[in-house]
Structure formats: C-alpha cells, structure tokens
Amino acid sequence: MTASAVPAEPPGQQPEPGLRADAERNRERILAAARRLYATDGLGVSMASVAREAGVGKATLSRRFATREELITAVFADRMDAYATAVTEALADPDPWHGFARYIEAICAMQAADRGFAEVLTMTFPAAKALEESRAASYHGVVELIARAQGSGHLREDFTHQDLVILLMANAGVIAATGDAAPDSWHRLVGQLLRAFATPGTDAPPLPDAPAPTALYRAMVRLTRPGTQTP
C-alpha cells in the first residue's frame, strides 16, 4: 500500500487517552498556580508568571487559556457561584435587615480570603461572558435584597446598589493596604459601615474591635515601602 493509500484519520477522532490526561493535568496545574498567585498578589499577575508558577511553557498556557479573561473566569467560577449563593441565602432570611447585614459580612469575608476575588468584585470583564452573566444574575438578587431591607424600615432609604459597589471597593482597598500586618482590619470597616447604613434605632451587629495601633503602623510602613517586611 502506498503512502497515499493510507486511510485518513476519521474526522472528529478524539486524542489518545494519554494525551487527554496530560492536557487535563496541565490545565489543573495552571488553575492551581493562578489561584495561588491571584489570592496573594491580585489580578495584576502576568500570564508569564502563572506559566512559571505552574511549571509549564507559555504555549501550553495559551492552548488551555487563550486570554487572561478566560483564565480569570475559570479560576473564579466557584467563587462566583458562592457569591450567588450568598445572595440566595440572604433573601431566604425571614428578617430582611439581618439577611442584608449577613450578606454584606459574607461577601466582604470572601474578599478578605482572596485578594484576587476582592478585585473581581470591583472590576468588569466584558470579554469574560460567563463571569459577567453570573455577576448580572446576582445583581438582580442584590437589588431585591436592598429593597426588602429598606421595606423593613431598617436600611436607610438613600442606600443604593451603587453604595454596595463603593463598599466593596473600600473593603478591597483596606485588604490590599493592611495585608498580613493588620489582616482583621476589614471587620472593623464593615461593622462601621453597617452602622452607617442602618436607620436610627436599628440593632446593628456588634462592632468588632479596632486593630491595634502597632498593627496599623506596620500596615502603614508596608504602604510607604512596598515589599518591606515589618516586625
């Protein structure tokens, strides 16, 4: 049989199992590396840094995730699901104000646990359709949550969904600024903001303790001298 007579590979034939397994392992290594880097350093991490952390070449990374948006969507898919779940659980609370306060505390805690996610909640990614669709679906629940809390008379009437975005931006800023020098500072911020959002006479959650002066000083040193390890 001549070379020209060799049967062609059937259309749509799947890669060999070994190749599929290698590709899946590389994908998981990339995702794990990106999660680590985004969680500690934020979304400014380069794709090249992710490839190095994962121990793969840039070409391998590009085959799995052609764009930064694709990688971000894959990394934070589970966290966006948790974000949506937080809205659903808050709406199910029979006490609208308690549900609202619990929701604020929950999403701010998600931000504190992952610096990358803190940024995801305060940025838009037009090219990341799945991520933006998930955000849009949660938005409608948040609007309803705000309306219920205001209807109960416990949330100020002038509070809007834009204020929630500002809150998340402020929380992300505090998290980035304090880092491991004063990591619990965000609790105090959220406690103070909930008191500001509540109508007079409303029972607000207990106010967390303020961070120690020495901890805030260390955080201020970090901001003045990026990369400095304070005692």
Side-chain angles (χ1 to χ4, degrees), residues 10-41:
Q13 180 172 328
Q14 296 297 314
E16 295 178 9
L19 294 178
R20 290 201 303 271
D22 285 344
E24 184 58 27
R25 278 195 295 270
N26 283 336
R27 183 178 187 278
E28 291 305 316
R29 288 168 64 184
I30 291 167
L31 288 175
R35 286 190 186 101
R36 289 193 298 271
L37 292 176
Y38 288 156
T40 57
D41 301 331

Side-chain angles (χ1 to χ4, degrees), residues 150-172:
Q150 288 173 331
S152 73
H154 297 300
L155 177 63
R156 291 170 53 126
E157 286 296 326
D158 56 0
F159 184 91
T160 71
H161 67 272
Q162 292 97 320
D163 290 317
L164 178 58
V165 176
I166 294 171
L167 181 156
L168 294 176
M169 287 180 172
N171 194 49

Side-chain angles (χ1 to χ4, degrees), residues 81-221:
D81 289 343
Y83 176 59
T85 298
V87 178
T88 301
E89 291 178 348
L91 287 171
D93 194 314
D95 182 333
W97 166 249
H98 180 262
F100 173 83
R102 186 175 68 171
Y103 169 74
I104 296 297
E105 291 170 339
I107 58 174
C108 287
M110 290 179 198
Q111 286 187 300
D114 189 322
R115 182 176 169 186
F117 190 59
E119 296 177 7
V120 164
L121 289 183
T122 60
M123 300 169 67
T124 59
F125 303 89
K129 292 188 176 3
L131 189 151
E132 291 304 319
E133 286 172 1
S134 178
R135 190 201 306 276
S138 297
Y139 164 79
H140 297 293
V142 169
V143 170
E144 182 181 352
L145 185 65
I146 292 171
R148 290 177 73 245
Q150 288 173 331
S152 73
H154 297 300
L155 177 63
R156 291 170 53 126
E157 286 296 326
D158 56 0
F159 184 91
T160 71
H161 67 272
Q162 292 97 320
D163 290 317
L164 178 58
V165 176
I166 294 171
L167 181 156
L168 294 176
M169 287 180 172
N171 194 49
V174 167
I175 291 165
T178 55
D180 58 1
D184 295 328
S185 299
W186 69 272
H187 288 287
R188 181 76 173 188
L189 171 69
V190 173
Q192 292 285 22
L193 288 175
L194 284 174
R195 287 169 176 256
F197 299 154
T199 57
T202 295
D203 288 332
L207 185 63
D209 292 337
T214 53
L216 280 182
Y217 175 77
R218 289 196 298 271
M220 293 167 70
V221 170

